C-alpha cells in the first residue's frame, strides 16, 4: 500500500497526488493510502480526512457512477466549481467578476439515462458504476426528481420486451408537463409484435411518448415542455437543460445581457430555451443544426400569444458559421454551443460589430478558449455566472456577458 497526499482536484473531480496519481472521492489536503495501478489509486483508505468531508446523503454513492462530490460539503463544491472556471480563464490570462453561484436543489433533475439488461428472470436496471459497464440498481436518488426515478420501472419493462441479452438497453427518461418522454436505444429491431408490446407499455405506464432507436412507436399525448410558459413539443432525445432551476438561472442571465436589444440572434438555439422567452421583448433569429428541433421551436412560436417575430434557420454552425455581414443590424447574440464550444463561430463574431454577447457554456475549457478570441478582438468579459444544475457532479455550466469595448 502507498501513502499519498492529495494536492488538488482535477476537472473530473478526482483528487490529484504527486506523480500525478488520480484518486476518486477524496479532497485536497487529505492523506490516503491504496494500491497504485498506473496513474490510479485503488482500494483507497482515507487516513487523515479533510474538515470539508461529509457523509454522502445517498446510500448508492460508493458504487454508482453518477455523482463524484457527495463526500464534500456544499460550500466546498460551490467554491471548487467557480474556481474551475476561474482557472480555465487564467490559463488564457483572463480575469473577470464572478457572481454568486446558482445551485439547483436536490431531487430536481428532470432527465436521466437508465441502463437495463435483460436477465433470465427479468431485467436489471440502474446506472452504470464508475468507469464500468456494471449496472448498479438504484432504489433512491438524491439528484433526480422522483417522477424521473419512476422511469426505472419502465426501463425494466422495456428491457424484458425488447432488449438483447448481449447489450444493455439505454433508456432516456425526461419529465415534462404532460408526463414522461421515454426514448430507448440499443434494443432489438422493431417488428410487428414488438411494436404492439411497446404500445401496450406506453398506455399502461401512462407514458407521454415512447421512441425506439429514434423512431416514435407510441404517443399517448404530445410531450410538452415550457420555456417561460411557452409550450414546445421537442423531438425525441432533444437537448433540454437538466433542471428547471438551472434553466431559469441561465435565462435570467441571458435576459440581463440582452435587455433592450431590438434584434437578437440565438445561435445553437435548440428548441427555443432562450429564443422564445427573449421574443417577448425582442425580434429573434434562431439558428440550429438539427432541423427537427428548429421545427419544434417554430411551432412553439406560432402557437404562442404576444411574442415578437421569430425567424428560424437550420444550419451547421461548425461548418457554416454566420459571418459578419449576416450580423449587421443585430443588437445582441446568444451562444449556447455543445461541449466542443463555438470556435469557428467565435472567429466570425470577433470580426463582427455586435454590441453584446451572451455565452452559455457547459465546458469551462472551451469557453475560456473562445473567450480569449473574443477578448483579443476587443470584447470585454464583464462577468460570469456559474450555474450548478448537475449537483454533486464535476459538471460545470455558466453564462457570461461580453460587451464590445468601443460600445461600453
Amino acid at each position: 500500500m502507498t501513502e499519498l497526499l492529495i494536492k488538488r482536484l482535477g476537472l473530473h473531480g478526482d483528487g490529484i497526488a504527486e506523480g500525478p496519481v488520480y484518486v476518486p472521492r477524496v479532497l485536497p489536503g487529505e492523506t490516503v493510502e491504496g494500491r497504485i495501478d498506473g496513474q490510479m489509486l485503488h482500494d483507497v483508505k482515507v487516513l487523515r480526512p479533510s474538515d470539508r468531508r461529509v457523509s454522502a446523503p445517498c446510500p448508492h454513492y460508493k458504487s454508482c457512477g453518477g455523482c463524484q462530490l457527495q463526500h464534500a460539503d456544499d460550500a466546498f463544491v460551490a467554491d471548487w466549481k467557480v474556481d474551475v472556471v476561474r482557472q480555465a480563464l487564467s490559463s488564457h490570462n483572463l480575469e473577470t467578476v464572478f457572481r454568486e453561484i446558482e445551485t439547483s436543489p436536490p431531487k430536481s433533475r428532470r432527465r436521466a439515462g437508465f441502463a437495463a439488461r435483460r436477465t433470465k428472470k427479468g431485467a436489471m436496471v440502474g446506472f452504470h458504476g464508475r468507469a464500468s459497464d456494471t449496472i448498479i440498481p438504484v432504489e433512491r436518488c438524491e439528484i433526480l426528481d422522483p417522477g424521473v426515478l419512476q422511469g426505472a420501472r419502465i426501463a425494466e419493462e422495456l428491457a424484458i420486451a425488447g432488449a438483447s441479452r448481449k447489450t444493455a438497453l439505454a433508456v432516456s427518461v425526461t419529465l415534462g408537463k404532460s408526463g414522461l418522454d421515454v426514448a430507448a436505444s440499443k434494443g432489438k429491431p422493431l417488428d410487428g409484435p414488438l411494436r404492439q408490446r411497446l404500445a401496450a407499455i406506453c398506455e399502461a405506464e401512462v407514458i407521454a411518448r415512447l421512441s425506439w432507436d429514434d423512431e416514435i412507436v407510441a404517443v399517448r399525448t404530445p410531450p410538452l415542455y415550457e420555456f417561460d410558459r411557452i409550450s414546445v413539443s421537442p423531438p425525441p432525445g432533444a437537448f433540454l437543460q437538466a433542471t428547471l432551476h438551472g434553466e431559469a438561472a441561465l435565462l435570467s442571465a441571458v435576459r440581463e445581457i440582452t435587455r433592450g436589444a431590438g434584434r437578437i440572434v440565438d445561435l445553437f438555439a435548440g428548441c427555443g430555451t432562450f429564443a422564445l422567452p427573449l421574443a417577448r421583448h425582442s425580434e429573434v433569429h434562431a439558428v440550429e443544426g438539427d432541423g427537427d428541433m428548429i421545427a419544434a421551436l417554430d411551432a412553439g412560436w406560432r402557437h404562442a400569444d404576444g411574442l415578437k417575430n421569430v425567424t428560424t434557420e437550420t444550419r451547421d454552425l461548425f461548418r457554416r458559421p454566420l459571418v459578419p455581414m449576416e450580423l449587421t443590424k443585430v443588437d445582441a447574440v446568444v451562444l449556447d454551443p455543445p461541449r466542443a464550444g463555438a470556435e469557428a463561430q467565435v472567429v466570425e463574431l470577433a470580426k463582427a460589430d455586435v454590441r453584446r454577447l451572451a455565452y452559455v457554456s457547459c465546458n469551462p475549457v472551451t469557453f475560456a478558449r473562445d473567450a480569449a478570441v473574443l477578448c483579443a478582438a476587443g470584447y470585454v468579459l464583464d462577468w460570469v455566472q456559474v450555474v450548478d444544475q448537475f449537483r454533486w457532479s464535476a459538471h460545470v455550466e455558466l453564462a457570461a456577458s461580453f460587451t464590445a469595448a468601443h460600445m461600453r
Side-chain angles (χ1 to χ4, degrees):
M1 303 294 281
T2 302
E3 187 172 309
L4 298 171
L5 174 66
I6 305 302
K7 294 188 173 183
R8 59 187 176 87
L9 296 191
L11 289 176
H12 300 294
D14 285 347
I16 300 178
E18 191 70 34
V21 177
Y22 298 93
V23 188
R25 295 184 170 90
V26 294
L27 296 172
E30 291 187 328
T31 301
V32 302
E33 70 173 9
R35 174 178 54 82
I36 294 180
D37 182 6
Q39 290 187 304
M40 292 293 300
L41 190 72
H42 300 276
D43 303 325
V44 179
K45 180 179 180 181
V46 178
L47 301 178
R48 286 183 284 279
S50 165
D51 58 4
R52 312 303 298 273
R53 177 174 284 275
V54 297
S55 297
C58 178
H60 307 292
Y61 179 57
K62 288 185 178 181
S63 56
C64 178
C67 295
Q68 297 85 44
L69 294 164
Q70 284 194 14
H71 60 285
D73 66 48
D74 288 347
F76 174 88
V77 176
D79 290 344
W80 177 73
K81 292 202 172 190
V82 171
D83 196 54
V84 166
V85 182
R86 183 180 286 112
Q87 291 297 325
L89 290 171
S90 179
S91 68
H92 293 275
N93 298 314
L94 297 178
E95 295 182 352
T96 192
V97 173
F98 280 83
R99 297 185 169 185
E100 185 176 356
I101 188 172
E102 290 276 356
T103 302
S104 294
K107 298 183 178 181
S108 63
R109 187 90 63 84
R110 62 176 170 178
R111 54 185 171 88
F114 295 95
R117 188 181 299 278
R118 189 158 61 90
T119 64
K120 291 182 179 179
K121 296 183 179 180
M124 176 180 290
V125 178
F127 301 127
H128 285 296
R130 176 186 169 87
S132 169
D133 289 332
T134 302
I135 296 175
I136 309 299
V138 174
E139 297 176 359
R140 54 178 275 199
C141 180
E142 296 299 317
I143 60 173
L144 294 183
D145 183 293
V148 177
L149 195 57
Q150 296 303 310
R153 185 186 69 254
I154 295 170
E156 181 179 8
E157 292 191 43
L158 293 176
I160 294 171
S164 163
R165 289 289 294 272
K166 296 181 179 180
T167 305
L169 189 70
V171 182
S172 172
V173 177
T174 307
L175 180 63
K177 183 179 177 182
S178 52
L180 292 177
D181 188 9
V182 181
S185 61
K186 302 180 182 179
K188 293 179 180 179
L190 277 172
D191 57 19
L194 179 55
R195 288 178 186 275
Q196 291 180 346
R197 292 190 68 182
L198 295 178
I201 292 171
C202 182
E203 187 62 31
E205 293 292 348
V206 197
I207 300 170
R209 177 175 64 188
L210 176 59
S211 304
W212 193 266
D213 284 329
D214 296 327
E215 181 178 341
I216 297 173
V217 294
V219 179
R220 190 182 58 83
T221 181
L224 294 176
Y225 303 90
E226 288 192 341
F227 304 137
D228 190 29
R229 306 184 309 281
I230 303 166
S231 292
V232 175
S233 183
F239 173 79
L240 296 168
Q241 297 295 338
T243 70
L244 292 175
H245 169 275
E247 180 178 285
L250 292 171
L251 176 58
S252 176
V254 169
R255 273 181 163 153
E256 179 181 343
I257 297 164
T258 60
R259 184 174 295 126
R263 181 166 173 76
I264 299 171
V265 171
D266 184 5
L267 303 173
F268 305 96
C271 295
T273 303
F274 303 118
L276 294 175
L278 292 176
R280 293 194 184 279
H281 303 288
S282 308
E283 292 187 356
V284 179
H285 181 58
V287 186
E288 165 61 44
D290 187 307
D292 290 336
M293 285 201 284
I294 210 74
L297 188 161
D298 183 65
W301 171 70
R302 293 180 184 279
H303 288 91
D305 295 323
L307 301 185
K308 291 186 178 292
N309 193 44
V310 174
T311 54
T312 59
E313 180 180 357
T314 302
R315 182 165 173 171
D316 184 342
L317 292 169
F318 294 104
R319 297 185 178 184
R320 284 203 312 127
L322 268 67
V323 297
M325 184 178 297
E326 296 174 283
L327 294 167
T328 58
K329 299 182 180 180
V330 171
D331 302 302
V333 168
V334 178
L335 277 169
D336 184 15
R339 290 188 61 79
E343 188 171 17
Q345 184 60 75
V346 163
V347 169
E348 299 302 327
L349 284 169
K351 297 182 287 187
D353 190 22
V354 179
R355 180 175 182 177
R356 281 166 286 171
L357 301 175
Y359 195 133
V360 177
S361 172
C362 59
N363 186 342
V365 174
T366 56
F367 163 71
R369 177 202 67 200
D370 292 347
V373 174
L374 292 170
C375 290
Y379 283 91
V380 175
L381 176 54
D382 305 307
W383 49 262
V384 167
Q385 170 73 69
V386 178
V387 176
D388 182 10
Q389 57 178 330
F390 289 86
R391 192 183 182 105
W392 295 312
S393 82
H395 193 78
V396 182
E397 300 198 332
L398 63 92
S401 172
F402 292 88
T403 306
H406 68 282
M407 295 186 178
R408 288 171 64 86

